[in-house]
Amino acid sequence: MSNIIYIGYYFKVSPLQPAVEILIAELGYAGFESFVETEEGVTAYIQKEEWYETILENIQILKSDEFKISYTFEDIEQVNWNAEWEKNFNPIIVDNQCSVRAPFHEKPETKFDIVIEPKMSFGTGHHETTHMMIQHILKNDMDGKSVLDMGCGTGVLAILAAMKGANPVDAIDIDNWCYINSLENVERNGALDITVLEGDASLLENKTYDVIIANINRNILLKDMKTYKSCLNQGGHLFLSGFYDNDIPLITEEANTLNLTLKYKIERNNWVSLHFN
C-alpha cells in the first residue's frame, strides 16, 4: 500500500448532519475509499489512478441549498489507514441485539457480536443503510435460508445472516478491496461457510436464493433488480437500501413490474430500506 498515491479531499460542512452521512455515501459510490469525520466535516480519500477531474459532478448534495459545503484537495502518500479509522471507529449496537466493533473494543453483552476491521471498505454499521439492513436481518428468519449479500463491503451483513443460521451465504462486491476485506472479516468471525466473490450481477447466472440483500446505489439497484428477481426462490425476500426517501417511487415502480410486493420500509435520517417479496 505504501507506493499507492491517494488524493485527499477536505470537506467543510454546515450544518454537519445529516449532510456528512449523505456526503460520505455519495462519495463512496463515486469511488472514494476511506473517510474520516472531522469537527468541520469529513476528509475523503481516493486512489489517484481512480481519480478524474469531474469526479464530484454527480455528488448531488454539493448542489443542495440546505447545506453549505466547501472543499480543498491534495495528493497524499503512505496513508496509515488503520491508524485513521481506529481513531474514529466507535462500536455500535443495533436494536440491543447486534454489536459491530473492532478487535480492540471491549466485547458487549449482545446476542450477535461482529468484529470487523473495515479499513477502506464501506459497511461498519454506522451508516444508515447498513444499520437498516442489520435491522432487517435481525427482524426476519434466516435459519437454513440461502442468502446473497450483494455489494457486501466489509461483509458485515453476510456475517450476521450466517450467525442467524443462514446457509449457504454468498457475498459479492465489485471492488477488490471490499472483496479482500470481506474475506478477512469472514475469517475473523469464524463464518467460514460464506463464499466471497469479486464481481457484479453477472456472477448470479444460474444461482438462486431465499433472501437477497442489496445495499447499493439507486441506479445499480434499478439496473439489476430484474436479475435479483430471477434469482429469488418462490416466496423469497428482497431487501434493498442505498437510496433516499424520494427514490421510493422509482424503486417500487420497477419492483411492481417484476411482481414484487412491498412488505414494509425502514427510514433513518432520510435514507430508506425496503422489503419486497
Side-chain angles (χ1 to χ4, degrees):
M1 299 294 291
S2 60
N3 295 324
I4 297 177
I5 298 176
Y6 285 83
I7 293 180
Y9 276 73
Y10 308 94
F11 292 92
K12 292 184 178 180
V13 181
S14 179
L16 287 173
Q17 296 297 350
V20 167
E21 293 287 356
I22 296 171
L23 179 60
I24 287 174
E26 292 192 356
L27 291 172
Y29 297 139
F32 284 78
E33 296 180 346
S34 188
F35 308 94
V36 178
E37 293 190 37
T38 66
E39 292 183 358
E40 294 183 311
V42 64
T43 300
Y45 300 97
I46 186 170
Q47 288 189 33
K48 190 167 186 177
E49 64 179 24
E50 301 293 330
W51 179 87
Y52 51 93
E53 191 171 341
T54 58
I55 195 162
L56 299 184
E57 189 172 286
N58 293 321
I59 307 301
Q60 298 302 315
I61 193 170
L62 297 179
K63 305 170 186 177
S64 172
D65 294 330
E66 296 181 48
F67 311 104
K68 182 179 180 182
I69 303 176
S70 61
Y71 65 89
T72 59
F73 62 95
E74 64 177 358
D75 286 2
I76 298 173
E77 294 188 56
Q78 299 184 6
V79 177
N80 186 338
W81 298 108
N82 284 339
E84 290 295 328
W85 75 261
E86 283 183 18
K87 288 189 298 186
N88 294 275
F89 177 35
N90 296 313
I92 67 158
I93 295 178
V94 179
D95 293 350
N96 295 315
Q97 296 183 67
C98 177
S99 54
V100 182
R101 63 182 178 91
F104 53 83
H105 292 137
E106 184 177 344
K107 183 178 179 180
E109 294 296 324
T110 55
K111 185 175 182 179
F112 305 104
D113 179 42
I114 302 175
V115 180
I116 64 169
E117 292 198 34
K119 298 181 181 177
M120 291 185 293
S121 300
F122 182 78
T124 62
H126 288 73
H127 190 265
E128 276 79 352
T129 58
T130 312
H131 191 286
M132 290 185 292
M133 285 300 212
I134 290 174
Q135 289 181 297
H136 281 306
I137 296 171
L138 291 173
K139 183 176 181 177
N140 289 273
D141 179 26
M142 297 287 154
D143 193 36
K145 302 290 180 65
S146 54
V147 173
L148 167 66
D149 178 6
M150 195 71 195
C152 59
T154 60
V156 63
L157 301 177
I159 292 167
L160 178 58
M163 286 181 172
K164 286 202 66 185
N167 189 19
V169 179
D170 288 346
I172 298 176
D173 205 294
I174 196 170
D175 182 84
N176 178 256
W177 187 271
C178 292
Y179 165 70
I180 294 170
N181 191 217
S182 290
L183 286 172
E184 294 171 348
N185 289 323
V186 162
E187 183 176 1
R188 182 173 289 110
N189 289 273
L192 301 182
D193 289 336
I194 296 175
T195 301
V196 183
L197 302 168
E198 182 179 358
D200 58 16
S202 64
L203 294 176
L204 300 180
E205 188 174 355
N206 298 321
K207 291 181 178 289
T208 59
Y209 302 94
D210 299 316
V211 177
I212 296 177
I213 303 162
N215 185 14
I216 315 178
N217 72 59
R218 183 196 71 182
N219 292 338
I220 294 177
L221 291 176
L222 290 171
K223 178 172 70 74
D224 291 342
M225 205 184 306
K226 185 176 182 180
T227 300
Y228 302 154
K229 167 63 176 177
S230 70
C231 296
L232 205 59
N233 290 331
Q234 184 72 28
H237 302 269
L238 175 63
F239 300 100
L240 303 179
S241 196
F243 48 91
Y244 306 126
D245 182 72
N246 58 12
D247 294 320
I248 291 177
L250 279 174
I251 298 292
T252 53
E253 181 181 1
E254 177 64 16
N256 290 339
T257 66
L258 299 170
N259 294 317
L260 289 165
T261 303
L262 178 63
K263 305 300 290 184
Y264 67 86
K265 69 176 180 178
I266 302 175
E267 296 183 70
R268 190 174 174 87
N269 294 334
N270 295 322
W271 294 91
V272 177
S273 185
L274 304 179
H275 173 197
F276 294 96
N277 74 356

